Amino acid sequence: MFDKVLVANRGEIAVRVMQACADLQIETVAIYSEADKHAGHVRYADDAYNIGPARAADSYLDHEAVLEAAEKANADAIHPGYGFLAENAEFARRVENTEGITWVGPTGDAMEQLGEKTKARTVMSEADVPIVPGTTDPVTDPEEVYEFADEHGYPIAIKAEGGGGGRGMKIVHAEDEIEDQLESAKREGDAYFDNDSVYLERYLENPRHVEVQIIADKHGNVRHLGERDCSLQRRHQKVIEEGPSPALSDELREQIGEAARRGVDAANYYNAGTVEFLVGEIPDRDPGEKLGPDADFYFLEVNTRVQVEHTVTEEITDIDIVKWQLRVAAGEELTFAQEDVDIDGHAMEFRINAENAAEDFTPATGGKLETYDPPGGLGVRIDDAVKQGDELVTDYDSMIAKLIVRGSDREECINRSKRALREYDIEGISTIIPFHRLMLADDAFLTGKHDTNYLDNDIATERISEAQEKWGSAAHANGGSEDVTEQELTVEVDGQRFQVTLEDPGIIVDGTQQPSSGGSSSTGGAATSGSNGDQTASLNGDQITAEMQGTILEVDVEEGDKVASGDVVCVLEAMKMENNIVAPTDGTVTHVAVSGGQSVDMGDTLVTLE
């Protein structure tokens, strides 16, 4: 077994890996950017090294910096977690070729074969795993997309080879969208995964998203650990995952599990991985009816790493996936047979994101965890890397924690989840806890009949706003656009104790809202984000400014250009998503203050209009 493992990641997954290492009596090394110097994973590790500026490309994605830190620390293994370099075959090979350091994951060759989507489709097809109609070679020319549309129709998914979680995927609904969406998918693939290669698939509009957890060793043993249902998504980002799927019959469950195992075995793959499938939903099926063995299911992709939602599988199998990643990397053989894998009970994972669901899941642009008091008790697990008083780091993604709940069956799991979410006390930033509480009272989710488009297309947005107003603080419900001072009091009426929150909306001084307690004023409005990801920048005089920290991916205007209200002036990457910065009024561009690849902070001037 290893002596010291460097965890090439941050946040809760870094802490999760470090905990597994501690269980195995392995020392740990953290790496961190300037933005993360006070982060939880740095506090947890035995040793820590600064590897560069906040921008991920200059720190967490810097191959040289990560390897240099590993060598300085005398680490004998590198675990990549998920995201960043976790599915980068080039980096995996570099680690494999570095004497004295072991890569905790599949080989670079296996990662390339299954992690790059076109190659994975070829492998799966040869292993008799059903695949969605699509290309097996990368697509570079819009003409190839036109031809694919002529054969298969719309909509079409243009997907980055190294993508995942909806990042690097663009949906084309009509011919006039092809060129823009192709360029956007390539740009995201290059920005997030250092790979601008893309491919095409026929886009299935109302499927379920079901994935199978795999663990395989270097001795030819491949096991699947059951499935997880990840159908509750917004803009292709998972928000609640559960296992086992509430929609599958046992016969279909076995078919999908064996297909996953067969495909991974054919690729000579080892370590942890997840095989994702799209399963055809029957819109009018009865609540108690399961999808049978005749239901359509198609291979989607392989994630050649540990997943965010691996926790669900751990809870219902009592198998520590991260520890097995380390054991497999060290050359150990799996000690359990496929028939030994026992699915016991039901589990759900709730992503605790710093977002306002009532404002189209807009990520928080800053804040402090003034209160952080997670729930506990039987069947409740918290994976996090934060503590009360921490400042929110907004340079990477919006997830601050994961709540995982287990019950003897789905009903008990849901009831326990309601209790845990009610007890989860976070103040200082908006989170999607109110949204999660809404979902646990939602008929489509409770009956297991939701599909991947339910949140984007079907749920009434006013219900989400009502949940935020009911279970989120008033300041968070309005997105923080006004200063609201709150004071909590304990009072007794006829001997009965009550907790009362007094809200002071402030007073107007010289036309500006001021909290009556004398706090600072708020002069800029919060940005709003539409379902297409457009970001409306604030206009201070003639300046369009950035409403969040990020990186400029593209500038679409030049000095002298005339723009109309709503025209895109540039594209800002923030929280791993592209945001179109649009002109809030008609005008002429008099100055462009940014260029592609430039990092910007909240409030920086992007474009000046006249």
Side-chain angles (χ1 to χ4, degrees):
M1 186 48 70
F2 309 114
D3 294 319
K4 183 181 286 188
V5 172
L6 180 141
V7 183
N9 218 292
R10 64 179 300 277
E12 59 81 24
I13 186 57
V15 171
R16 170 70 186 92
V17 174
M18 292 171 189
Q19 289 171 337
C21 289
D23 287 351
L24 294 171
Q25 299 296 295
I26 302 170
E27 291 186 16
T28 56
V29 181
I31 55 173
Y32 63 95
S33 71
E34 288 292 338
D36 271 338
K37 61 176 59 178
H38 302 299
H41 73 287
V42 178
R43 294 191 296 259
Y44 192 94
D46 297 306
D47 205 355
Y49 289 82
N50 185 321
I51 58 167
R55 186 169 178 260
D58 299 324
S59 52
Y60 294 108
L61 293 173
D62 187 331
H63 298 193
E64 295 292 343
V66 175
L67 280 171
E68 183 180 345
E71 290 170 348
K72 284 181 178 178
N74 292 317
D76 53 356
I78 293 178
H79 192 302
Y82 55 72
F84 292 135
L85 296 172
E87 293 181 283
N88 189 304
E90 178 188 348
F91 182 69
R93 290 193 187 99
R94 289 200 61 178
V95 176
E96 291 165 7
N97 293 329
T98 301
E99 186 176 354
I101 302 179
T102 299
W103 173 252
V104 182
T107 65
D109 290 346
M111 187 181 295
E112 188 173 85
Q113 186 178 37
L114 286 184
E116 293 193 3
K117 309 304 187 287
T118 54
K119 294 179 180 179
R121 286 169 56 85
T122 300
V123 171
M124 291 296 165
S125 181
E126 291 175 353
D128 198 28
V129 177
I131 63 173
V132 179
T135 61
T136 53
D137 293 319
V139 170
T140 58
D141 193 307
E143 188 59 38
E144 297 174 82
V145 188
Y146 291 126
E147 293 174 0
F148 185 86
D150 288 341
E151 180 178 356
H152 298 286
Y154 296 96
I156 300 168
I158 305 177
K159 306 176 76 171
E161 284 268 19
R167 298 186 182 94
M169 179 170 74
K170 299 297 174 182
I171 309 303
V172 177
H173 295 277
E175 183 176 300
D176 61 359
E177 300 175 2
I178 286 176
E179 293 189 20
D180 286 346
Q181 297 290 54
L182 177 61
E183 284 305 310
S184 183
K186 292 172 66 177
R187 186 169 60 242
E188 280 194 12
D190 186 46
Y192 301 136
F193 310 107
D194 198 26
N195 183 352
D196 69 354
S197 182
V198 299
Y199 67 104
L200 307 178
E201 277 185 356
R202 180 74 170 87
Y203 183 66
L204 303 180
E205 295 196 83
N206 297 293
R208 299 192 71 87
H209 183 126
V210 175
E211 61 189 29
V212 178
Q213 177 68 56
I214 291 290
I215 189 75
D217 63 25
K218 297 179 181 179
H219 305 275
N221 301 301
V222 182
R223 309 284 184 258
H224 77 77
L225 309 183
E227 89 282 355
R228 300 182 290 257
D229 195 308
C230 306
S231 300
L232 198 71
Q233 305 178 4
R234 47 90 181 159
R235 297 198 298 273
H236 310 293
Q237 291 289 307
K238 304 165 187 174
V239 286
I240 300 176
E241 303 98 343
E242 63 180 305
S245 170
L248 305 189
S249 65
D250 289 340
E251 295 87 351
L252 182 58
R253 174 173 292 115
E254 182 63 22
Q255 286 182 22
I256 294 175
E258 282 305 311
R261 193 156 75 107
R262 189 167 62 245
V264 168
D265 188 44
N268 296 317
Y269 179 98
Y270 64 75
N271 215 273
T274 303
V275 187
E276 301 193 346
F277 294 90
L278 296 178
V279 180
E281 179 59 283
I282 301 174
D284 58 349
R285 70 181 168 90
D286 295 332
E289 181 184 359
K290 303 291 186 181
L291 297 173
D294 295 331
D296 292 329
F297 68 92
Y298 300 100
F299 167 75
L300 177 63
E301 63 186 15
V302 178
N303 289 287
T304 56
R305 53 171 167 79
V306 67
Q307 290 276 89
V308 176
E309 59 274 17
H310 73 279
T311 58
V312 169
T313 299
E314 290 182 331
E315 293 303 308
I316 59 176
T317 62
D318 199 29
I319 293 173
D320 189 322
I321 295 168
V322 179
K323 282 169 67 173
W324 271 114
Q325 283 190 286
L326 294 161
R327 287 168 172 157
V328 165
E332 295 186 21
E333 187 171 0
L334 294 174
T335 57
F336 56 91
Q338 184 62 55
E339 54 268 24
D340 295 331
V341 178
D342 183 29
I343 307 300
D344 183 21
H346 198 93
M348 290 183 176
E349 177 183 273
F350 302 86
R351 300 192 184 198
I352 309 302
N353 296 341
E355 301 170 356
N356 190 330
E359 294 187 354
D360 201 33
F361 294 89
T362 302
T365 56
K368 182 178 181 179
L369 290 169
E370 297 167 0
T371 299
Y372 185 74
D373 187 11
L378 185 64
V380 175
R381 165 179 169 180
I382 300 290
D383 279 23
D384 63 16
V386 295
K387 63 180 177 62
Q388 188 162 299
D390 279 357
E391 295 284 344
L392 182 65
V393 176
T394 59
D395 297 76
Y396 308 107
D397 60 59
S398 59
M399 188 171 68
I400 59 174
K402 301 184 305 197
L403 167 66
I404 307 97
V405 180
R406 184 193 178 281
S408 59
D409 54 27
R410 193 170 189 258
E411 181 180 7
E412 183 178 63
C413 182
I414 287 172
N415 290 337
R416 186 170 285 163
S417 297
K418 290 178 180 179
R419 185 263 297 175
L421 287 164
R422 187 173 64 248
E423 292 177 357
Y424 213 140
D425 188 7
I426 299 178
E427 293 294 336
I429 59 173
S430 291
T431 73
I432 60 171
I433 288 175
F435 164 79
H436 288 318
R437 295 180 68 175
L438 171 66
M439 285 298 96
L440 295 185
D442 180 81
D443 287 341
F445 181 76
L446 291 177
T447 56
K449 293 187 64 179
H450 56 289
D451 59 42
T452 56
N453 295 310
Y454 177 64
L455 293 183
D456 292 333
N457 299 339
D458 299 327
I459 192 168
T461 56
E462 59 267 22
R463 293 180 59 208
I464 299 178
S465 297
E466 290 168 0
Q468 185 69 28
E469 183 175 355
K470 180 178 180 180
W471 292 310
S473 73
H476 297 157
N478 65 23
S481 61
E482 298 178 355
D483 283 322
V484 178
T485 302
E486 295 185 353
Q487 183 178 10
E488 292 189 357
L489 300 176
T490 301
V491 300
E492 289 186 4
V493 179
D494 292 334
Q496 184 175 0
R497 179 186 174 96
F498 294 92
Q499 293 291 127
V500 179
T501 300
L502 298 182
E503 295 179 356
D504 178 2
I507 57 177
I508 303 299
V509 178
D510 295 330
T512 302
Q513 186 181 41
Q514 302 275 7
S516 58
S517 59
S520 61
S521 66
S522 176
T523 57
T528 59
S529 177
S531 61
N532 63 354
D534 286 1
Q535 188 76 30
T536 303
S538 65
L539 183 66
N540 299 321
D542 294 324
Q543 296 178 334
I544 300 176
T545 61
E547 283 287 355
M548 61 181 69
Q549 185 182 47
T551 302
I552 300 297
L553 294 182
E554 176 184 288
V555 179
D556 295 324
V557 295
E558 297 178 351
E559 291 184 11
D561 287 353
K562 293 185 181 300
V563 296
S565 177
D567 285 352
V568 176
V569 297
C570 60
V571 180
L572 173 69
E573 177 268 317
M575 296 294 187
K576 299 184 180 177
M577 297 182 69
E578 289 191 11
N579 299 272
N580 290 335
I581 304 299
V582 303
T585 186
D586 297 349
T588 300
V589 177
T590 59
H591 180 63
V592 178
V594 293
S595 58
Q598 181 177 337
S599 295
V600 296
D601 290 322
M602 183 169 60
D604 284 357
T605 298
L606 306 177
V607 174
T608 303
L609 297 181
E610 183 178 84

